[in-house]
Amino acid sequence: MRGPLVWIAVVAVGIVALIGIGAVLSDDESGETVSAGEWAESVCGAVGVWRGELEATVEDIRTPNAAAGSEEPQSETPQGRTGFIRVGLERAVLATETMVEGVDNAGTPDVTDGQQVADAVASWADSARDDLEDAQDSLDEEAESLEEAVEQVTEALGAIGAVLASGTQTLAEVARTEPALVAVFRDTSTCQQLQEETD
Amino acid sequence: MSTMDWVLVAVQGLVVIAFIALGVRSGGIGLGLWGGVGTLVLVFLFGLDPGEPPISAILIIIAVISAAAAMQAAGGIDYMVKIASNALRARPKALNFVAPYISYVLTILTGTSNTFFSIIPVINEVAYANKIRPERALASSTVANALGITSSPVAAAMATMLPLVEIYNYDLVDVMLITIPASIVGIFAMSLVMSRYGKELDDDPEYQRRLAAGEIKPPAPAADVVLLPHAKRSVAIFLAGVLAICVFGFFEGIRPTVAAEGGGVEPMSVTPLIQMIMLTAAALIVLLCHVKAGDIPGTQIFKSGMVAMIALFGIAWMADTFIANNEDAIVQALGSMAESWPFMIAVAIFLVAALTTSQSAATRTMVPLGLALGIGAGYMIAMWTAVVGVLLLPANGTQIAAAEADETGTTTLGKRVIDHSFQLPLQICWVVTALVGIVIVWLFFGDQTPAPPVPAAP
């Protein structure tokens, strides 16, 4: 048997190794100019992950009991329902902040209007976060009736749907303004996946 | 959140840790009792909404313990110990390696760590009968069991993970090709360390004290054990129950269907199936093995199981009350840490899992962040195995049940919250598994996504 200090040291070395590997793997390219393919890969990846999270959130808001994994009766009261929507929107905002981080980290594509393209996508990502935060703020008042709660659900789902649609639109507009990106979007695997999911 | 809010969250966290410390010092149902007091303090003093007590886990413990205790009353445990001892006669220490892999496979097949409750008494008895320090096999098996979640195609955490990496061309098979080999190596490293960890049973002062005080009987040599007439039958029924759970867990299509929330039908979840099948196994053992139902509560397995249930009730309720009210703050804080220092992502995943006690929550919040920070999807899958961090604090049902089952006193929940028997195997296992996973991705996956095309010259 070895003393506990030896094992603590072994574990510590392992954790340091993991941290070192993390440092090598993390790839912050914010502010840097990268190849258009690399930029598209990162942006479509971030948007694709975000889209999946928002769709899961929409599902959770629509079927709160399934999401909670329990038959919590309070979730069916107007107040409970509002609380559930708020949690869903908080998650949507968190997911959007992560997506904004991903878009920022993607850098600037090395195409003619690269900076403009990066700014357009970043601007959309920021506005998506603001829109969802506004939707979240509108839930500060508890629903007084079931009808009001239903209205809040509809508005919350509408807000999420709107930012999802505007994301697809932004990427399409970016491709229109910068023709060099059309082929890149078409040939990049994450963009292909995103396109398939959107269709 | 304002500074005051952060201070409040920190104070609440300290209250939770203090009550866990009081509970583990009291031992037994003291853990549950102090957990209840902690819940009361969080609700009345801090105004938190009460969280959810772990109803499903408690019901599973009741069902599984009923079946295992019925099997013990029928002499089935003695039979299993005898069989296992004979099989391990040449190398009894092999138990330290075999038991963790069995628990790991059980989780892969059922997608839940709750099936592990059924084999805790068996691992403990086999270890004790062979004079192996039970802590070694029990602690490793508990960790391996939790690790199985990231290798299971039917686990909730896997369902959360897949949509996050599919856009990067990683599907279920790819994920399992990374997590399963990595976990196999991680479990082996952990078992190797644990097979040499701690004093031998005969030299352990706590065990010797219990032995001297008559709190525990010395292990009977396998040859001396007289089997009851229906011992074999009870084992067959119990194992058939476990096998049925695995089959139903793995093949969703053969489960009964229930009404789905959004309309239509969906397969029933594994949780009620475990409860039904184990209660049925207990009933069949009573019926076919001529066990008196009144004898079951007198068994050691039943007593330790009920203690574990009360302990889990209080402590998990308190933890959930804290987490349900502060999950966003915890995730935000650790997310900020990872954003500032992306290299800490694996540690952040581990800590989020530990502080939310949810592998799914850690997956949902931290994996997208890692991907956004530019870490490749394959490497994120390798580091995702860090969600086994749910065992960092001794508030998990399987940890409590394993500690309660071990009458020798070698498997403990510690005295200072983090110095429990599961800590060393946990740390070895998650670090080795993540590192091996990274190597697997580097060697066999590389950049999974095809190389981006070179843009046309403007």
Side-chain angles (χ1 to χ4, degrees):
Chain A
M1 176 216 151
R2 297 186 198 286
L5 282 178
V6 174
W7 299 123
I8 290 169
V10 168
V11 170
V13 168
I15 292 175
V16 168
L18 270 178
I19 290 173
I21 291 168
V24 173
L25 293 177
S26 57
D27 190 17
D28 182 359
E29 289 169 324
S30 48
E32 291 175 21
T33 300
V34 298
S35 75
E38 202 178 327
W39 177 83
E41 188 77 48
S42 303
V43 168
C44 289
V47 173
V49 170
W50 168 78
R51 185 184 167 80
E53 288 183 87
L54 256 57
E55 282 173 353
T57 303
V58 167
E59 197 55 38
D60 286 355
I61 291 175
R62 282 192 181 137
T63 57
N65 287 348
S70 69
E71 290 71 40
E72 175 59 67
Q74 291 95 315
S75 63
E76 284 309 312
T77 64
Q79 291 77 15
R81 175 68 76 148
T82 307
F84 214 91
I85 304 164
R86 189 178 293 116
V87 170
L89 280 172
E90 277 169 11
R91 283 185 185 160
V93 170
L94 191 68
T96 310
E97 282 171 357
T98 304
M99 187 265 292
V100 170
E101 182 81 19
V103 168
D104 288 346
N105 279 356
T108 307
D110 62 349
V111 289
T112 315
D113 294 323
Q115 191 57 53
Q116 202 180 325
V117 165
D119 289 347
V121 177
S123 162
W124 160 74
D126 287 337
S127 67
R129 180 183 50 198
D130 295 343
D131 289 349
L132 289 174
E133 277 175 350
D134 288 346
Q136 195 182 348
D137 290 343
S138 72
L139 289 175
D140 281 348
E141 286 180 18
E142 296 286 358
E144 301 262 323
S145 63
L146 192 59
E147 287 74 19
E148 209 175 315
V150 170
E151 196 180 323
Q152 287 182 333
V153 174
T154 311
E155 282 175 14
L157 293 176
I160 294 175
V163 293
L164 275 172
S166 65
T168 314
Q169 199 182 340
T170 303
L171 291 181
E173 280 171 11
V174 158
R176 264 200 302 277
T177 54
E178 182 50 71
L181 287 177
V182 175
V184 175
F185 278 140
R186 192 185 56 228
D187 297 334
T188 307
S189 68
T190 53
C191 296
Q192 286 167 356
Q193 285 274 0
L194 184 62
Q195 182 67 40
E196 281 169 22
E197 284 172 16
T198 311
D199 294 342
Chain B
M1 279 176 66
S2 65
T3 311
M4 193 58 207
D5 290 336
W6 283 113
V7 171
L8 260 179
V9 173
V11 172
Q12 290 162 18
L14 287 175
V15 166
V16 170
I17 288 172
F19 279 106
I20 292 177
L22 278 173
V24 293
R25 277 175 185 271
S26 300
I29 68 165
L31 192 57
L33 304 183
W34 283 112
V37 178
T39 310
L40 188 132
V41 169
L42 290 175
V43 170
F44 280 87
L45 203 64
F46 293 96
L48 302 189
D49 295 338
E52 289 285 319
I55 306 280
S56 291
I58 287 174
L59 295 182
I60 285 175
I61 292 178
I62 291 174
V64 169
I65 291 304
S66 299
M71 178 170 67
Q72 188 174 38
I77 291 282
D78 289 339
Y79 177 65
M80 284 177 98
V81 170
K82 194 168 181 139
I83 294 290
S85 299
N86 287 341
L88 297 170
R89 186 177 294 145
R91 299 178 72 91
K93 285 190 174 179
L95 176 72
N96 296 321
F97 294 86
V98 174
Y101 283 113
I102 290 175
S103 357
Y104 172 68
V105 170
L106 268 182
T107 305
I108 292 181
L109 292 177
T110 58
T112 168
S113 54
N114 289 323
T115 339
F116 179 55
F117 288 116
S118 63
I119 59 166
I120 289 174
V122 180
I123 295 172
N124 175 55
E125 295 289 337
V126 172
Y128 187 48
N130 287 282
K131 288 197 171 182
I132 295 170
R133 187 181 174 87
E135 178 190 34
R136 293 174 178 166
L138 280 173
S140 308
S141 302
T142 307
V143 174
N145 168 256
L147 188 67
I149 291 290
T150 50
S151 302
S152 171
V154 287
M158 182 69 90
T160 309
M161 180 68 175
L162 282 179
L164 301 176
V165 293
E166 272 172 349
I167 194 145
Y168 295 95
N169 287 335
Y170 282 86
D171 59 16
L172 176 64
V173 174
D174 293 326
V175 175
M176 290 170 72
L177 281 174
I178 296 167
T179 56
I180 290 181
S183 301
I184 288 172
V185 177
I187 291 170
F188 182 81
M190 167 182 72
S191 304
L192 191 65
V193 172
M194 287 306 288
S195 67
R196 291 142 199 253
Y197 182 75
K199 291 181 175 165
E200 294 302 327
L201 209 45
D202 286 340
D203 303 325
D204 188 87
E206 175 59 21
Y207 168 63
Q208 291 303 329
R209 185 197 66 75
R210 290 184 184 202
L211 207 55
E215 293 174 19
I216 180 172
K217 290 178 189 164
D224 295 352
V225 174
V226 179
L227 292 179
L228 294 176
H230 300 295
K232 286 182 191 175
R233 192 180 293 173
S234 71
V235 171
I237 294 169
F238 185 83
L239 290 183
V242 175
L243 183 68
I245 291 168
C246 291
V247 171
F248 279 116
F250 202 70
F251 301 105
E252 271 194 356
I254 61 169
R255 290 185 217 161
T257 50
V258 292
E261 282 288 338
V265 292
E266 62 186 7
M268 179 186 278
S269 95
V270 178
T271 300
L273 275 170
I274 296 174
Q275 294 159 3
M276 280 183 248
I277 291 171
M278 279 290 123
L279 285 175
T280 304
L284 288 175
I285 291 171
V286 168
L287 188 69
L288 302 175
C289 303
H290 306 292
V291 171
K292 287 181 188 164
D295 291 345
I296 296 174
T299 61
Q300 186 269 326
I301 288 179
F302 188 88
K303 287 173 190 163
S304 65
M306 290 304 116
V307 170
M309 188 184 77
I310 295 168
L312 176 66
F313 174 28
I315 214 73
W317 194 13
M318 174 178 67
D320 191 72
T321 299
F322 171 70
I323 291 159
N325 287 273
N326 297 304
E327 184 178 323
D328 286 343
I330 294 166
V331 170
Q332 199 183 330
L334 290 165
S336 300
M337 178 187 89
E339 276 177 33
S340 305
W341 303 307
F343 50 86
M344 294 290 281
I345 190 74
V347 178
I349 294 173
F350 181 86
L351 290 177
V352 169
L355 296 178
T356 62
T357 64
S358 165
Q359 288 157 322
S360 295
T363 305
R364 193 186 63 235
T365 54
M366 299 311 288
V367 173
L369 184 61
L371 295 169
L373 292 170
I375 296 172
Y379 295 109
M380 278 312 301
I381 294 167
M383 290 192 263
W384 171 56
T385 53
V387 294
V388 74
V390 289
L391 299 179
L392 180 70
L393 300 176
N396 198 288
T398 51
Q399 290 168 296
I400 295 169
E404 278 307 320
D406 180 4
E407 283 187 301
T408 66
T410 59
T411 312
T412 74
L413 297 175
K415 295 285 180 200
R416 298 174 195 86
V417 182
I418 58 165
D419 61 338
H420 50 77
S421 291
F422 312 90
Q423 196 64 262
L424 177 66
L426 169 67
Q427 298 299 337
I428 302 253
C429 192
W430 89 266
V431 168
V432 173
T433 303
L435 285 173
V436 173
I438 287 168
V439 171
I440 290 172
V441 174
W442 179 64
L443 284 178
F444 300 107
F445 288 84
D447 186 0
Q448 175 92 333
T449 51
V454 179

